[in-house]
Amino acid sequence: MNFDDTPQEAEFRATARAWINANAPKQYEEELRKSSLGRTVLKNADILEVAKAWQKKKADAGWACLHWPKEYGGRGSSPIERVIWQQEEGPFGQLSRMFIIGHGMCGPTMMAFAREEHKRTYLPPLASGEKVWCQLFSEPAGGSDVAGLRTRAEKDGDDWVINGQKIWTSGAHYSDYGILLTRTDPTVPKHKGLTMFFLDMKSPGVEVRPIKQASGASDFNEVYFTDVRIPDHQRLGEVGDGWNVSLTTLMNERSAIGAAVSTGFPELFEYCSSLMLDDGPAIEDRAVRSKLANWAVKASGLKYTSMRAISALSKGERPGPENSIGKLVAGSMIQDVATYALDLQGANGVVSGEDAELAGRFQAMLLRAPGTRVEGGTDEIMRNIIAERVLGLPGDIRVDKDVPFNKIPTKGRA
Amino acid sequence: MNFDFSDDQKQLRDQARKFLAEKCSPKAVRVVLDGKAPYDKELWKGLAEMGFLGVAIPEEFGGAGAGHLELCVIAEEMGRANAPVPFSSTVYLAAEALLIAGSDAQKKKWLPAIASGEAIGTLALFEGKGNPSPKNVKLTAANGVLNGVKKPVADGAIADFAVVAARTGSSGRDSDISLFLVDLKAGGVEVKSLTNLDPTRGQAEITFKDCKAEPLGAAGEGWSILTQVLDRAAVLCAFEQVGGSDRALEMGRDYALDRIAFGRQIGSFQAVKHMLADMYVSATLARSNSYYGAWALSTNAAELPEAAAAARISATQAFQHCAKNNIQVHGGMGFTWEFDCHMYYRRANAMALGLGSLSYWEDQLIDRMRKKNAA
Ligand SMILES: Cc1cc2nc3c(=O)[nH]c(=O)nc-3n(C[C@H](O)[C@H](O)[C@H](O)COP(=O)(O)OP(=O)(O)OC[C@H]3O[C@@H](n4cnc5c(N)ncnc54)[C@H](O)[C@@H]3O)c2cc1C
């Protein structure tokens, strides 16, 4: 049990720190430091442009996607070096949220299933942020039950022809490529008839329509496919094996999202430390302290859980379903934290945006939080994963398990 | 950075687990639970022979001189087995107080006796309701004698000696408190056993009447020593609580796989699955916080006070959460004396109070975080 850097780790930290100090976009530091879930916007700049510029700079100097192999645009770093980098990058790390789907999910899936020449072509510009990727899994009829999706892929010569609709696709409106899960055989049970591809989002027949979220922002989209052609060499994994391929993506998704998700606690603690209530400083109020302490130990518990996972990773163990707990705990926590922060503001908590307390930081958090509990697998699905894969409890009863896909009912009520 | 126990420490864990599975079966625990013995003497002797009682006591004082990480590993197993022995009062409280503040002579007298299982020790701090606080210490020390009543004193009825918190001043400051060492077998004390939530670990009321006592540590330093003792004990107890949480979760999981209702294993009902998943989550958060506490304890890091409070809160919550839901998973069976569920429920709720209540530690944590942020 050791929290101190080894000499090599200390040297790595010093090099990283020096480079960040000399190169980071310092003019945005203050704004990035204040950002929290629901509010990574920059006042006088396009956040995507700023994020891309920072990512490119990192890539040119060998600091992008640290844990990826060098030939794919990474640095071949150890998991611990990656953590050290994140610690040193601090608020500038907020900018890489723009690439989380590409770096966290699409990249690892490409690495595991794409042809070598494709890896060398597509991965470096993904690492450097020049090309942005999205994940086209969810559909109106296939969310938690991803395998219920209906987008068809039909073989036509050396190509596949895609027709159907995806939904909730984050970043599709600024993405260059996407990984796409399709149905290639509707006559077999649902998990057996799926196939995965990657495609150019600018292909003819792809149409992206932004969706306005509950928060008011538009980060995700509907994507329509009309006779979109994908060459067979862009298939990831075998025909009919798309379910297995997607499990690789989803496993990576959980650790990527789980590790990055914020809890809202540091913001709340800071707020309570300065806030004056009617009877004095909030931090001296018995009830406030009790709430804070409860959230403090959840936040620290998550932090040290991920450190334990990293220690396991650096000993060569694979990331397991345990990683589901990060998102599960942080998701409802941030919702509760935001609700509580507004409660402390009393009637004025109702005001959001620039006129609100702290320029609406907690209001924005409150309005974004419900999405965290849904994206990347809902709370219920996370609990199922823990119960089934960690604790070994029986799977849910699945009435459609052995039924050919085209015989499964499509509506709950007639 | 490496945030895990070493292979040697894991081996020690396996060894302790095996030993306790053999010597501390639920049946053995029940001998104490049913009031047929005040504690498991055989087990206590065995723990001494295994070197577990003195694992963190330096070799020069008869211990194994291994360290606190090793003690954490053993603590977890003690909690998992629900061991009915005065381990926490003797090893975490009395021995740690001696290690921090004892004179050479005091250490030579008591530490080897602890390591060999000959002496049981405890800390006499509380005086009725209320949390650890200098103002709650009314028992007085003057001219080398103590007068007053301590209650509850963990394992007080079987202890050979006690570290006693006493009032030696009236300035209203922490420096009013000093610590004393009392040989409970030497007279001047009256001990009464108290019924308590967890009969597998006794509680007593001790009345001191002109009882001879020797100072432990410098006069006026009592509160500062106590704070250190409580912080260390908080981490060690957290490991017991983590062990207990894990065991309660495991019992619930096993029962959910065995019990059939409506033609299915009850573990296939999502409400039951999700309850168990939530138990896993709280046990995992507690384990991670406790690992951080273990690191801080073993390196005597400046982070110890904050880490100890976080481990304490997290592990207390987890053990209570797992123990109560383990009963729920077991249904009516869980509420019977025959099933072991209530032993963990009792232990979880007793442990939640022993070092000061949850709300006390919440207060401590926030104070400590504030101090750190201000610094
Ligand atoms: C902000 C955001 C970003 C997203 N980004 C992407 C993206 O980039 N790419 C992408 O492919 N998808 C994305 N998604 C989609 C996301 O993965 C799905 O919304 C999610 O998996 C849930 O599916 P659903 O919305 O169809 O809800 P449903 O599956 O219809 O769920 C409705 C309710 O039923 C519950 N439920 C369903 N099945 C079970 C079960 N077996 N047991 C218990 N309860 C159950 C759910 O927990 C939920 O409460 C995003 C979603 C959000 C909110």
Side-chain angles (χ1 to χ4, degrees), chain A residues 365-391:
Chain A
M365 212 188 258
L366 179 83
L367 294 177
R368 176 58 178 79
T372 305
R373 296 181 58 198
V374 171
E375 67 191 327
T378 63
D379 285 4
E380 290 68 35
I381 296 299
M382 293 297 151
R383 289 195 172 91
N384 273 359
I385 289 171
I386 292 170
E388 293 169 21
R389 302 211 208 125
V390 183
L391 301 178

Side-chain angles (χ1 to χ4, degrees), chain A residues 11-24 26 63 85 88:
Chain A
E11 195 189 314
F12 179 85
R13 189 185 292 282
T15 320
R17 181 175 298 174
W19 189 84
I20 291 165
N21 252 326
N23 293 284
K26 292 261 173 58
W63 294 107
W85 169 268
E88 295 301 324

Side-chain angles (χ1 to χ4, degrees), chain B residues 168-188:
Chain B
T168 46
S170 53
S171 68
R173 281 195 289 262
D174 290 1
S175 57
D176 289 344
I177 308 301
S178 306
L179 291 186
F180 292 86
L181 205 53
V182 176
D183 185 339
L184 294 170
K185 307 292 172 203

Side-chain angles (χ1 to χ4, degrees), chain A residues 101 135 137-138 143-144 168 170 220 371 374-376 378 380, chain B residues 270:
Chain A
I101 293 192
Q135 176 188 347
F137 284 17
S138 303
S144 303
W168 323 128
S170 300
F220 58 31
V374 171
E375 67 191 327
T378 63
E380 290 68 35
Chain B
Q270 219 177 51

Side-chain angles (χ1 to χ4, degrees), chain B residues 39 83 139 204 247 258 276 284 299 302 311 373:
Chain B
Y39 71 105
L139 177 143
R247 181 65 195 126
D258 283 343
L276 288 160
T284 301
T299 55
N373 278 22

